[in-house]
Amino acid sequence: MESRAIVRIALMAAVIGVLGMLPGVMLPIAMGVPITAQTLGVMLAGIILGPRHGALAVLLFLFVVLLGAPLLSGGRGGLGVLFGPSVGFLLGFIPAAFVAGLAMERLKALPVFAAALVAAVVGGIVVEYACGVFGLMVMARMSLLQVLVATAVFVPGDLLKALATAFVAEASYRGYPAAIASRT
C-alpha cells in the first residue's frame, strides 16, 4: 500500500472520530442507541476512499475506540462498547463503508452526486441498519417489530446524512477529481 493511501485512511478515521465529538441525541425509544454524525463519516469513507480503503479507515477508527479512546458519541470508548445495545450499529460501520464504496464503484455511469447518494443509502443506511437491527435484537432482547419501530426514528436523519455525503462527494470531485477513488 502506498503512503498516500495510508494517509487518506488515517485522515478519514480521524474525520469519523471528530464527528463523534458532536453531541449525540439519546432517544428513550431506541434503547440507548444515540443519533450521531459518525455514520456520515462512514458513508464518506466508503464513497471517497473506495470499498477496501474505506473499510480500513473504519477498522482503524474502531481499533482506536476499542483501545479506549473516547471517540464515540458521549465520550465512549473501550471494550465496553461491544456489550451495549449499539454494538450492531458500531460493528456495522465496517460493512457499511465497504458496501458504500462498492456501490460507488459500480455506479460509474451515473453522475457523482447520484452515485454517491445511492451508495450512501445502500451502504450507510440499508447495510448499517441490517447490522444494527440484529445487534439491537440480540443485546436488548427485542422482537424484530419492536426494533424496526425503535429505529425508524433514525431514518430521516440518516437520509439527510446521505444527502450531505452526496453533496460533499460532488464538491470534492469538482474541486479535485482524484479525490473520489472510484472515479480515477
Side-chain angles (χ1 to χ4, degrees):
M1 187 181 301
E2 63 183 62
S3 54
R4 176 180 229 143
I6 293 170
V7 169
R8 289 176 57 141
I9 289 167
L11 284 173
M12 191 56 71
V15 166
I16 298 168
V18 167
L19 289 171
M21 299 299 140
L22 299 174
V25 177
M26 296 299 278
L27 301 172
I29 190 172
M31 302 299 293
V33 177
I35 296 175
T36 72
Q38 286 184 305
T39 49
L40 172 66
V42 172
M43 293 175 194
L44 283 169
I47 288 167
I48 290 177
L49 300 179
R52 214 181 72 186
H53 290 167
L56 286 173
V58 172
L59 273 170
L60 175 60
F61 166 75
L62 289 176
F63 178 72
V64 171
V65 165
L66 293 176
L67 285 177
L71 298 176
L72 295 175
S73 178
R76 297 174 302 127
L79 292 174
V81 300
L82 295 176
F83 302 100
S86 61
V87 67
F89 288 100
L90 186 61
L91 295 178
F93 284 2
I94 302 163
F98 184 84
V99 170
L102 195 62
M104 189 70 179
E105 279 184 355
R106 300 286 193 263
L107 298 171
K108 282 185 181 179
L110 291 178
V112 171
F113 182 86
L117 183 59
V118 170
V121 168
V122 170
I125 297 177
V126 174
V127 171
E128 178 69 16
Y129 276 63
C131 298
V133 163
F134 178 74
L136 196 52
M137 285 173 56
V138 171
M139 298 307 285
R141 290 178 170 64
M142 297 170 67
S143 72
L144 177 60
L145 182 60
Q146 289 172 316
V147 172
L148 291 176
V149 168
T151 56
V153 71
F154 296 107
V155 175
D158 284 335
L159 288 171
L160 288 175
K161 289 181 233 177
L163 196 58
T165 299
F167 278 116
V168 169
E170 175 70 23
S172 298
Y173 184 72
R174 285 179 188 238
Y176 181 58
I180 307 294
S182 65
R183 300 291 166 142
T184 56

